[in-house]
């Protein structure tokens, strides 16, 4: 238990540590607590290379899906974001397994040569019980959620496009302008 003197010192130090104050400081620390980003508010990572990769994925999907009207565009964006998340999950899993393999590099070379990734994970868990409570254990849940989101949006988009093609040619509904008239 802390003494009164330690508590007082801690309070004095806490008064000095108020976190970043400038926009540059806040921008620098905004991702400090980020673990994997799969449930983050922002789907596109901050690095320029990944943003270009996302834009390329988006262009490809938009060219293939060819959404017409705001609802189809919304569903296409949901398909794109779910596909992006799925790719990130696979990259995370591969990166994590590679990281664990490097951690156990000496033992890995000796014990796990030519073994599949699933055995490597089992090996890492057996070497370090903490691994079992890591984010890697939650990846299958993230993956199935992203897959459901992807296929649900894709099915809805295809259904909407089929209805549009089957009905007489009508212009897409106007985009909501933000004003309501009775």
């Amino acid at each position: 238990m802390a003494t009164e003197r330690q508590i007082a010192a801690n309070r004095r130090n806490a008064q000095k540590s108020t976190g970043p104050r400038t926009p540059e400081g806040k921008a620098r620390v905004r991702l400090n607590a980020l673990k994997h980003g799969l449930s983050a508010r922002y789907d596109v990572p901050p690095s320029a290379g990944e943003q270009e990769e996302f834009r390329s994925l988006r262009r490809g999907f938009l060219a293939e899906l060819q959404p017409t009207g705001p609802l189809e565009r919304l569903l296409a964006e949901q398909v794109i974001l779910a596909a992006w998340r799925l790719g990130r999950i696979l990259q995370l899993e591969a990166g994590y397994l590679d990281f664990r393999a490097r951690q156990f590099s000496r033992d890995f070379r000796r014990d796990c040569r030519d073994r599949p990734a699933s055995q490597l994970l089992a090996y890492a868990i057996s070497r370090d019980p903490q691994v079992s409570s890591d984010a890697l254990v939650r990846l299958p849940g993230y993956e199935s959620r992203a897959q459901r989101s992807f296929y649900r949006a894709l099915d809805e988009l295809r259904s909407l496009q089929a209805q549009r093609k089957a009905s007489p040619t009508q212009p897409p509904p106007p985009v909501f302008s933000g004003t309501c008239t009775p």
Side-chain angles (χ1 to χ4, degrees), residues 36-69:
H36 47 67
L38 295 175
S39 56
R41 261 189 302 177
Y42 306 104
D43 290 300
V44 181
S47 76
E50 287 180 322
Q51 286 181 0
E52 183 52 42
E53 187 180 329
F54 178 79
R55 283 189 206 106
S56 175
L57 175 82
R58 187 174 182 275
R59 281 191 299 269
F61 267 100
L62 289 175
E64 185 173 331
L65 297 173
Q66 298 180 349
T68 303

Side-chain angles (χ1 to χ4, degrees), residues 79 82 86 146-156:
V79 168
L86 278 169
Q147 284 175 342
R148 280 192 310 270
S149 176
F150 177 83
Y151 286 114
R152 189 180 309 127
L154 186 60
D155 288 345
E156 196 66 33

Side-chain angles (χ1 to χ4, degrees), residues 6 15 61 64 66 71 73 94 98 108 117 119 129 146 150:
Q6 289 172 324
Q15 293 299 315
F61 267 100
E64 185 173 331
Q66 298 180 349
L71 184 56
R73 280 194 292 276
D98 183 56
F108 173 72
Q119 289 182 2
F150 177 83

Side-chain angles (χ1 to χ4, degrees), residues 10 47 61 79-80 104 109 119 123 140:
N10 191 12
S47 76
F61 267 100
V79 168
I80 293 164
F104 299 116
R109 283 191 210 110
Q119 289 182 2
Y123 174 76

Side-chain angles (χ1 to χ4, degrees), residues 83-97:
W84 177 253
R85 283 189 192 106
L86 278 169
R88 287 179 69 190
I89 290 166
L90 297 174
Q91 290 173 350
L92 264 172
E93 187 174 34
Y96 184 80
L97 291 173

Side-chain angles (χ1 to χ4, degrees), residues 8-9 11 15 61 63 75 95-96 102 108 112 122 162 174 179-180:
R11 285 187 181 139
Q15 293 299 315
F61 267 100
L75 290 169
Y96 184 80
R102 289 173 198 231
F108 173 72
C112 295
T179 60
C180 295

